[in-house]
Amino acid sequence: MYASPKPLLATLYGQRQSVPPIWLMRQAGRYLPEYRALRAEKGGFLALAMDSDAAAEITLQPIRRFGMDGAILFSDILIVPMALGQDLWFETGEGPRLAPKVQARDVLDGLTARPEALEPVYGTVRRVAALLPPETAFLGFAGSPWTVATYMINGQGSREQAEARRLAYGDPGLMQALVDRIADCTIEYLLGQIDAGVEAVQLFDSWSGSLSPAQFERWVIAPTARIITALHERAPGVPVIGFPKGAGGKLPAYAREVGADAIGVDETVDPVWADAALPEGLPVQGNLDPLALIAGGATLDAAVDRILAAFANRPHIFNLGHGILPDTPIAHVERLLARVRGTVA
């Protein structure tokens, strides 16, 4: 077993901590006034993500303010479609747009890879790695192939992923080719992040909950397992967190089959059930509802205490069940950390 003096990495290696380490998904972002100030100065989200100096500064902001146990790279899962040849831009107030939409084989075959799109991210990693406190773990990330594919097919986000699901049923050969191409790029992308200085990585499958069990097996579990196997072979000792948001009752199968070193649990999952259903000793990350964090007060305290109690007997990284919301009060984040660390009653 690997060892680390960093609490978050030690937890990922399977060592239960008396006080669980904590970081928050999207902890570097819009709820922080220092982030908003930098964004106003530099421009839109994509401009920030592709500016290594700015992205490094944003990655470090929540570490300076809160002393989180983990720093998460400031970037976006849609950098991979850019590297595969799609154009990416963000519409104000509406989110990302990608073109051309990959809904036919000739479109996929017509994409010209642009691996240079990944270089600014590696630059961000190198800058952050040189500046992090010695006790803080550095996490990189990528989107899992199914979730990335939904954006590449639809050209933007969609709540039900109807276009991607329709394509998966109607032309599974095209879907397989797209998923394979995303997986290949993701392996190299995460290895590039590791080479530049991240110490663990997370695979975000934000839209995995929209699939039936058989489709989940093919489009979530199989490609995720291939990515994790490759990372373990080529970067031994670097933990991988798998986060299949919305997996629900399919979570145990995911945990058994993908080979992740830790499993992220979203806010819809009962932590008591998750502790009983997941393999004994497997590190778990999660799973506070971001809205409970906004609510604060007794609601927040009770939710935190329930999660801590549920995962008390296994390695646990405290986190949200999904990303922190822009209107989250700073004081509530401070209260959360104090509650988790036992410095307030």
Side-chain angles (χ1 to χ4, degrees):
M1 178 182 290
Y2 296 95
S4 174
K6 301 185 178 188
L8 195 153
L9 288 180
T11 304
L12 290 173
Y13 292 142
Q15 301 165 33
R16 190 177 69 83
Q17 311 289 305
S18 58
V19 176
I22 181 170
W23 68 280
L24 304 178
M25 287 181 279
R26 293 185 188 156
Q27 66 186 18
R30 292 175 291 173
Y31 73 108
L32 292 176
E34 54 265 45
Y35 169 83
R36 295 194 297 269
L38 186 58
R39 180 165 177 165
E41 175 189 338
K42 294 285 187 177
F45 174 83
L46 190 58
L48 289 174
M50 302 306 286
D51 180 328
S52 297
D53 289 329
E57 167 61 22
I58 294 166
T59 302
L60 291 165
Q61 285 173 348
I63 309 306
R64 296 194 196 105
R65 180 183 278 272
F66 301 115
M68 298 288 188
D69 294 295
I72 181 74
L73 170 68
F74 179 77
S75 186
D76 193 87
I77 64 169
L78 299 182
I79 301 300
V80 163
M82 283 180 64
L84 291 173
Q86 276 188 308
D87 293 326
L88 170 67
W89 69 98
F90 283 74
E91 296 284 354
T92 303
E94 296 185 14
R97 297 291 185 269
L98 290 156
K101 298 178 182 180
V102 182
Q103 298 181 356
R105 187 62 190 242
D106 63 330
V107 176
L108 177 61
D109 291 343
L111 295 179
T112 300
R114 299 191 296 241
E116 65 275 8
L118 305 175
E119 289 300 326
V121 178
Y122 305 147
T124 301
V125 173
R126 286 189 289 270
R127 287 163 173 78
V128 173
L131 296 170
L132 273 181
E135 69 276 10
T136 307
F138 190 8
L139 293 90
F141 74 91
S144 288
W146 164 253
T147 288
V148 174
T150 67
Y151 287 93
M152 294 184 71
I153 293 163
N154 196 54
Q156 62 187 72
S158 61
R159 284 293 170 186
E160 296 182 354
Q161 295 78 55
E163 291 296 329
R165 290 161 59 207
R166 190 176 291 119
L167 182 66
Y169 282 119
D171 193 345
L174 173 57
M175 177 60 82
Q176 190 68 62
L178 176 58
V179 163
D180 286 345
R181 195 171 297 187
I182 295 167
D184 289 341
C185 183
T186 300
I187 290 167
E188 298 306 320
Y189 180 41
L190 290 175
L191 287 170
Q193 292 182 34
I194 292 165
D195 287 344
V198 304
E199 299 166 294
V201 297
Q202 176 159 311
L203 285 164
F204 285 86
D205 222 335
S206 303
W207 300 124
S208 71
S210 61
L211 292 169
S212 70
Q215 296 289 88
F216 184 89
E217 189 76 29
R218 180 167 185 180
W219 305 122
V220 172
I221 287 179
T224 303
R226 183 158 80 85
I227 291 169
I228 293 174
T229 296
L231 294 177
H232 283 163
E233 288 175 351
R234 296 172 62 183
V238 177
V240 182
I241 305 166
F243 179 51
K245 188 176 189 300
K250 300 184 285 291
L251 197 61
Y254 179 97
R256 289 192 307 269
E257 297 176 35
V258 301
D261 300 283
I263 299 296
V265 180
D266 69 57
E267 69 272 18
T268 67
V269 175
D270 183 342
V272 175
W273 174 84
D275 183 61
L278 293 173
E280 184 177 355
L282 179 69
V284 169
Q285 178 177 276
N287 67 327
L288 182 69
D289 189 337
L291 289 171
L293 182 57
I294 289 178
T299 297
L300 173 60
D301 289 351
V304 170
D305 292 349
R306 176 174 169 78
I307 294 166
L308 292 175
F311 296 132
N313 294 317
R314 70 164 67 233
H316 175 218
I317 297 166
F318 202 99
N319 207 316
L320 300 175
H322 200 42
I324 193 169
L325 296 168
D327 55 340
T328 302
I330 298 292
H332 293 189
V333 178
E334 294 169 341
R335 174 73 183 188
L336 168 62
L337 267 73
R339 191 80 178 189
V340 170
R341 291 170 172 167
T343 59
V344 296

